[in-house]
Amino acid sequence: ICCSPRLELLCLSRCLLQSSQTSEHEGICCFSCSETKSSRRMPSDESCSLFAAAEKHDKVLRLGIVGTGCIGQEHLRNTLVLMTKQQNDKTPTSANPNAKRLSVPRVILSAIADPHAPSRDAAMEIIDSGRENLPDLNVASFSTHVSLFEACRDNKLCDCLIICTPNFNHITVVKDALAITCCHLLLEKPLCTTVRDCLAVERWLKEDREKGHQRVFWVGMEYRFIPPIEKLIQAADSGRLGNLKMLSIREHRFPFLAKVGHWNRRNELSGGTLVEKCCHFFDLMRRMLQSDPVKVMASGAQSVCYKEEQYAKKGGDTAYLDAVESSSQEDTRHTAPEEAKRTGQTRIASDILDNAFVIVEFENGSRALLDLCMFAETSYYQ
């Protein structure tokens, strides 16, 4: 799972390579669209090799990463791994004197963007360390996503944008990316934090296609490509497991990791635990059962995690939160309550679920269960 952003990047590369060879893009432009059954099976579900496709088409993807926090930095590191691999494969050796073709997709990191200076600086440190193996690495840095998008007009800087911003910001960044650029888009899950915003993105993508744009838009559900899960999906598709009627998924893990501004501690910013974390599992349910949900029954609570934490909203802005009190997070910034009062900040509490049971019934009569616990100490295995 630690390598999941690399899986996303590899699979997106395959989608782009395949889409360049076909005039029909309906099935791969928007994997989040509920209108088409093909959205359940991504092109990367196919058995053909991504590496063979890369060698065949010899494509170079110029990547821009929007949001350089925890996940953005993972994408950054893995992009540098691919760039180093492709450089080594291009270099003739005694074992491979005629090295020409690459065994990985050809990618180039072109730009990063993040309004949070510490995250941007951390990303640049990773890039600087990558120059040991990639001395010609030249990456543009932007303090806003709009400035990066403006530089991408007419595909002058990037071919593909990887959007890794906080969940609540997805709607704004996607809207601007569709309006300003012609780039392919890989959006980190979830699509958005509200149904209204998800429907808006779907509408914008339809309008985008009507304008003649043939970009690939993908919400990265990379759990499909974790090797053991991929084998399980293949077994289900093959019929070796029979006609699936029940599916059970359990995740017992430690609490959410620390994020910039603690945005993942509030439902209004993250969409809630079942959206922020568990969209992966609902995607797997649809994928394996090959059907759409018709009924959902759930019970959940906030029983343990973050119950002692208090946050302050600066000037009524919910975009980022400052911790006022905390007894559970060593890396949390502390702001005295009297200071919060003096600056007019409003104190609020975390409200995300940390445990739940969810039962989903599907059109074809099958049903699935999610068993989630976010206060199970499993760091040894993690």
Side-chain angles (χ1 to χ4, degrees), residues 30-37 39 202 205-206 209 286:
C30 179
F31 296 119
S32 62
C33 285
S34 58
E35 65 190 277
T36 171
K37 299 295 183 182
S39 65
E202 186 174 7
L205 287 167
K206 291 179 181 177
R209 290 199 293 272
R286 291 182 66 241

Side-chain angles (χ1 to χ4, degrees), residues 7-57:
L7 291 170
E8 289 180 347
L9 178 58
L10 293 174
C11 296
L12 177 68
S13 300
R14 174 186 285 177
C15 292
L16 298 179
L17 294 169
Q18 291 175 341
S19 69
S20 67
Q21 302 300 308
T22 177
S23 59
E24 179 54 58
H25 297 262
E26 184 70 21
I28 61 175
C29 279
C30 179
F31 296 119
S32 62
C33 285
S34 58
E35 65 190 277
T36 171
K37 299 295 183 182
S38 62
S39 65
R40 296 197 198 108
R41 296 190 60 134
M42 301 186 187
S44 42
D45 281 334
E46 299 174 8
S47 60
C48 66
S49 168
L50 165 66
F51 303 138
E55 290 184 351
K56 178 180 178 181
H57 302 299

Side-chain angles (χ1 to χ4, degrees), residues 138-187:
N138 184 22
V139 181
S141 177
F142 298 87
S143 60
T144 69
H145 69 273
V146 173
S147 57
L148 169 57
F149 294 170
E150 291 289 350
C152 290
R153 282 189 184 274
D154 303 318
N155 290 333
K156 291 181 178 178
L157 182 62
C158 299
D159 302 302
C160 173
L161 297 171
I162 303 175
I163 300 173
C164 314
T165 61
N167 298 357
F168 66 88
N169 193 239
H170 286 184
I171 184 69
T172 300
V173 177
V174 169
K175 183 177 183 180
D176 291 339
L178 293 173
I180 299 174
T181 81
C182 294
C183 295
H184 303 290
L185 303 176
L186 166 58
L187 175 65

Side-chain angles (χ1 to χ4, degrees), residues 260-314:
V260 173
H262 309 282
W263 61 264
N264 59 344
R265 305 290 205 267
R266 292 284 296 174
N267 287 329
E268 63 181 323
L269 304 181
S270 69
T273 301
L274 296 180
V275 171
E276 153 63 10
K277 178 70 189 75
C278 301
C279 57
H280 284 300
F281 304 126
F282 301 129
D283 176 66
L284 288 176
M285 291 176 184
R286 291 182 66 241
R287 175 63 186 83
M288 292 189 65
L289 296 173
Q290 292 290 293
S291 185
D292 285 323
V294 294
K295 183 184 295 186
V296 179
M297 296 162 279
S299 175
Q302 184 182 24
S303 301
V304 177
C305 299
Y306 316 121
K307 296 185 72 173
E308 305 300 322
E309 293 188 6
Q310 292 285 316
Y311 305 97
K313 293 193 294 185
K314 291 184 176 180

Side-chain angles (χ1 to χ4, degrees), residues 71-89:
I71 298 301
Q73 290 175 28
E74 281 198 58
H75 280 290
L76 176 56
R77 291 187 186 95
N78 289 317
T79 302
L80 296 180
V81 168
L82 292 178
M83 292 178 65
T84 301
K85 173 65 174 174
Q86 70 190 23
Q87 176 176 271
N88 293 341
D89 283 359

